[in-house]
Structures are given as C-alpha cells and as structure tokens.
Amino acid sequence: MKTAILVDCLVNRGGVERLVLTQAKHLNADIFVGIYNSKTTFEEFKQLNINVLTKYKKHSRALTLYLWYLFKKLKLKYDFYIFFGTGALNAAKNHHPNLWYCNSPSRYLYDLYEEELSRTKNLIKLLFVLMTKIMRKIDQNNVKSID
C-alpha cells in the first residue's frame, strides 16, 4: 500500500517528528512537509523520501496561512494518507482514505486565544481577531474530511 504522510513542519526533535519518522520507516511512506530543516531535526529523515513544499527552515505564524494554502492545493495519488498538524489537514478533503493524528490543535485558535490576543496591539489585534475567526472555521471544516 502506497502511503503519504503530510505534516506541517519537521524542524525539531520532538514527539511529532518521532511519530512521523517511525511511521514513515515502517510504512515505507513518502513525506510531504511544509517546512523542513534537516539540521535541527532527526538525522534519519535524510534517508527517507521527503517532499518539501517551501524553502523556509523555521516556522512562524506569518507562514501559517501560506502553508494552509499549499496543502489545500495538493493533489496526490496514494492509497492512504496520514495527516499531522492543522496545516496539513487542509489537504484532507482531496485525499482519502485518511487518518489524522491530532497531537494538539492550533492552541492559539482555541484555548490560548485570549492569552495570544492580550499580547497583540492595535491594528495587529484587529487582524488577529479576524484571521483567527476565519481560521477556526476552516479548521473545524477540515476535520469533517477525516475518515
């Protein structure tokens, strides 16, 4: 079975990276990642088939909508899809059958919203309110595409 793993970022040596690495090895899966930095994540990723969607090496909130757009545009041909992260989840509508590992939702959209809002000022605050409202709706819609 040909499997694709779609993940927002592989830039750390954390739990998501370890899960993606383990699954990719065991399933002989191809990886599609928004942001990848081979110098800051597990060395073993270099032995796998990784398709990087951007040239960026570090994640930032400013890139979030761009990543969502890139994943939404993807049209892959695999037998099964595994998603990690809310950015990659934008590809779920066009990729079935699928599975989503929700290690954590985008917390700034939900339980940490008020805390994030209190850190922003003036025009950025207004932009944050508008964008998170839209992003929350998109995120909740994307979940409906999970099998």
Side-chain angles (χ1 to χ4, degrees):
M1 177 166 56
K2 199 171 167 189
T3 303
I5 296 174
L6 292 83
V7 58
D8 294 2
C9 303
L10 294 173
V11 297
N12 296 312
R13 292 176 190 228
V16 170
E17 289 83 0
R18 194 175 309 279
L19 277 169
V20 170
L21 183 61
T22 301
Q23 288 184 358
K25 283 180 178 178
H26 288 292
L27 299 171
N28 194 29
D30 293 338
I31 299 171
F32 293 83
V33 60
I35 300 169
Y36 176 64
N37 189 335
S38 62
K39 294 177 181 153
T40 58
T41 193
F42 295 108
E43 183 80 17
E44 295 95 326
F45 278 117
K46 291 178 182 175
Q47 301 163 6
L48 301 174
N49 184 22
I50 298 180
N51 302 277
V52 185
L53 304 181
T54 71
K55 61 180 170 59
Y56 299 101
K57 302 290 184 196
K58 189 175 176 186
H59 187 268
S60 73
R61 286 269 168 77
L63 288 174
T64 300
L65 288 177
Y66 180 56
L67 287 177
W68 285 26
Y69 168 75
L70 292 176
F71 279 110
K72 187 172 182 66
K73 271 187 14 177
L74 283 179
K75 302 278 193 266
L76 306 173
K77 300 282 187 212
Y78 287 81
D79 299 315
F80 190 68
Y81 304 89
I82 302 173
F83 301 103
F84 287 89
T86 55
L89 195 57
N90 282 274
K93 184 177 181 180
N94 298 316
H95 299 92
H96 296 275
N98 63 44
L99 171 76
W100 177 40
Y101 271 82
C102 182
N103 300 78
S104 175
S106 291
R107 297 187 67 197
Y108 66 94
L109 294 178
Y110 299 103
D111 63 317
L112 296 181
Y113 173 80
E114 293 297 329
E115 184 179 325
E116 291 286 330
L117 185 61
S118 71
R119 287 191 236 167
T120 60
K121 294 181 172 118
N122 305 324
L123 187 57
I124 301 297
K125 184 174 266 193
L126 177 61
L127 186 60
F128 179 79
V129 169
L130 292 172
M131 293 311 299
T132 53
K133 185 174 184 170
I134 293 167
M135 291 170 76
R136 209 176 294 123
K137 187 164 183 72
I138 292 169
D139 186 48
Q140 291 167 6
N141 238 9
N142 287 340
V143 172
K144 294 175 186 172
S145 296
I146 296 301
D147 297 329

